[in-house]
Amino acid sequence: MDAQRALLDELMGAARNLTDEERKAYKEVNWDDKDVCGFYMVRFCPHDLFVNTRSDLGTCPRIHDQKLKESFEKSPRHDAFVPKFEAELAQFCEKLVMELDRRVKRGRERLAQEVEPAPPPPLTAEKSEQLSVLEEKIKNLLEQVESLGEAGKVDEAEALMRKVEILNAEKTGLTQPQNEKVLMLAQEKKMALCEICGSFLVENDALERTQSHITGKQHVGYGMVRDFIKEYKDAKEKATEEERLAREREAEDRRIQREKSESRRRGDSSDRERHRDRDRERDRYRDKGSDHERSRDRDGGRWVDSRMRNGRNGGRDGYRDRRRSRSPARHTHRRPS
């Protein structure tokens, strides 16, 4: 009926049976409505996993609709809502697993307890009478064995001792507690606990029953729940690690940029300082050159003025003075006759 109803909803719409008045008040459901199951949209709904099992969660109170799921998968907001729905599903599944793990722990404690044998049941009147007859026979045979041994009849004494052993075995069979047989059967069928779904199993059970358990709804359902939690946590840890590495890379890039900027600033400062040093050195040389030029101009000015005062003859007079200074004897002294 549910499948036929879903088919009719798909072909004719969910409001196919509504009257005109009801259609006016009818509001079409979208995948992002609060009444729509986000678990079903993104992965699976745990309410669908354990139907008709001991872990049945009942019917999900929210809407499961394949058309809404397809609409969600095609929506441009799909990637934005997936983390939200997965986080809610992981929280719900973790609660289920926590409750299951508590049951598993209690079951493990039950299996760890030692099985104490029950006290032996009292013998019936018939067995008590048989036991008395056996004890009397054993007593008589032992007396005969003792007499034969004193008489030196060893072979006959040994034959009677074998009869005594047989009677003692019958006596043990009567007095053996019946619960030992039950205990032996219990040990042959030792119980075990499934760590996935918490079900009790029989160790070394038939392959068919073991396979039936593994493919059962409860085992498969809790397996899906546990696998999803592990997958979700692994993805979350991976994303956290990637974010940490990205932050470290950004911090390293900022540090390198800061060092480059500081190095550039130091380089600019050094360049400016070198320019200032060159400017100061150039100014110093310029000042020294200016002082020297002014000094030379002052000395040279007097020399030029003297030449200007002497005129052109001053040059020839100077030439003659220089010639006289080179050969003073030729001009000032004569040889004696």
Side-chain angles (χ1 to χ4, degrees), residues 84-175:
K84 175 179 179 294
F85 289 158
E86 285 187 345
E88 293 175 353
L89 177 59
Q91 185 178 5
F92 188 88
C93 289
E94 285 178 352
K95 291 181 180 178
L96 288 179
V97 171
M98 287 177 60
E99 178 62 29
L100 174 64
D101 288 342
R102 282 195 289 268
R103 294 206 308 265
V104 170
K105 182 180 178 181
R106 290 194 298 267
R108 197 181 296 118
E109 291 174 352
R110 284 176 52 191
L111 292 178
Q113 294 176 353
E114 295 181 358
V115 180
E116 296 181 358
L123 295 177
T124 61
E126 182 181 358
K127 288 186 177 181
S128 298
E129 185 178 356
Q130 292 176 359
L131 183 60
S132 299
V133 172
L134 287 174
E135 289 177 348
E136 187 66 26
K137 287 182 179 181
I138 292 171
K139 181 180 177 182
N140 294 333
L141 288 174
L142 289 176
E143 291 177 354
Q144 292 178 21
V145 169
E146 185 178 358
S147 300
L148 292 172
E150 292 177 354
K153 297 179 181 180
V154 178
D155 295 336
E156 295 178 0
E158 290 179 355
L160 292 178
M161 282 300 301
R162 285 193 291 269
K163 291 182 179 181
V164 171
E165 292 175 359
I166 295 173
L167 294 176
N168 281 326
E170 292 180 6
K171 177 183 176 181
T172 303
L174 288 174
T175 57

Side-chain angles (χ1 to χ4, degrees), residues 4-195:
Q4 293 175 359
R5 189 180 297 108
L7 180 61
L8 291 173
D9 289 344
E10 183 177 356
L11 295 175
M12 303 175 62
R16 65 186 184 281
N17 295 326
L18 300 181
T19 63
D20 293 338
E21 294 296 329
E22 291 174 339
R23 287 177 187 274
K24 293 179 181 179
Y26 176 75
K27 178 184 176 182
E28 187 175 358
V29 179
N30 296 319
W31 62 263
D32 56 349
D33 290 345
K34 292 182 179 180
D35 295 334
V36 177
C37 180
F39 304 162
Y40 179 79
M41 293 290 105
V42 71
R43 288 296 186 93
F44 57 86
C45 180
H47 292 81
D48 296 339
L49 300 179
F50 309 106
V51 178
N52 297 328
T53 68
R54 290 188 305 164
S55 301
D56 195 340
L57 300 176
T59 304
C60 180
R62 295 185 290 180
I63 299 173
H64 293 189
D65 189 278
Q66 184 63 28
K67 291 179 64 178
L68 294 177
K69 187 171 185 177
E70 293 174 359
S71 175
F72 168 68
E73 292 173 351
K74 296 176 183 178
S75 172
R77 295 184 295 160
H78 172 271
D79 294 341
F81 274 77
V82 165
K84 175 179 179 294
F85 289 158
E86 285 187 345
E88 293 175 353
L89 177 59
Q91 185 178 5
F92 188 88
C93 289
E94 285 178 352
K95 291 181 180 178
L96 288 179
V97 171
M98 287 177 60
E99 178 62 29
L100 174 64
D101 288 342
R102 282 195 289 268
R103 294 206 308 265
V104 170
K105 182 180 178 181
R106 290 194 298 267
R108 197 181 296 118
E109 291 174 352
R110 284 176 52 191
L111 292 178
Q113 294 176 353
E114 295 181 358
V115 180
E116 296 181 358
L123 295 177
T124 61
E126 182 181 358
K127 288 186 177 181
S128 298
E129 185 178 356
Q130 292 176 359
L131 183 60
S132 299
V133 172
L134 287 174
E135 289 177 348
E136 187 66 26
K137 287 182 179 181
I138 292 171
K139 181 180 177 182
N140 294 333
L141 288 174
L142 289 176
E143 291 177 354
Q144 292 178 21
V145 169
E146 185 178 358
S147 300
L148 292 172
E150 292 177 354
K153 297 179 181 180
V154 178
D155 295 336
E156 295 178 0
E158 290 179 355
L160 292 178
M161 282 300 301
R162 285 193 291 269
K163 291 182 179 181
V164 171
E165 292 175 359
I166 295 173
L167 294 176
N168 281 326
E170 292 180 6
K171 177 183 176 181
T172 303
L174 288 174
T175 57
Q176 183 180 16
Q178 297 296 321
N179 63 340
E180 288 186 5
K181 297 180 181 180
V182 177
L183 183 60
M184 290 175 62
L185 292 175
Q187 290 176 350
E188 290 176 0
K189 292 188 176 183
K190 188 176 180 182
M191 301 300 294
L193 188 67
C194 178
E195 298 290 337

Side-chain angles (χ1 to χ4, degrees), residues 257-320:
Q257 286 295 117
R258 187 168 57 252
E259 290 180 355
K260 288 182 178 179
S261 300
E262 292 176 356
S263 177
R264 231 179 354 255
R265 285 197 297 271
R266 287 196 297 269
D268 295 341
S269 177
S270 300
D271 292 341
R272 286 194 297 270
E273 188 64 28
R274 282 195 297 272
H275 288 312
R276 283 196 294 269
D277 291 343
R278 283 199 298 268
D279 292 341
R280 284 195 293 268
E281 192 70 20
R282 188 166 54 248
D283 293 341
R284 191 162 52 249
Y285 283 130
R286 187 183 297 117
D287 294 342
K288 289 176 65 177
S290 299
D291 294 341
H292 180 68
E293 186 67 28
R294 283 194 297 272
S295 176
R296 189 176 61 184
D297 287 345
R298 284 194 297 270
D299 296 341
R302 288 193 295 273
W303 178 69
V304 170
D305 291 343
S306 174
R307 288 183 62 189
M308 291 296 293
R309 284 194 298 271
N310 292 334
R312 293 181 179 179
N313 293 331
R316 289 192 292 272
D317 293 341
Y319 175 74
R320 285 195 295 269

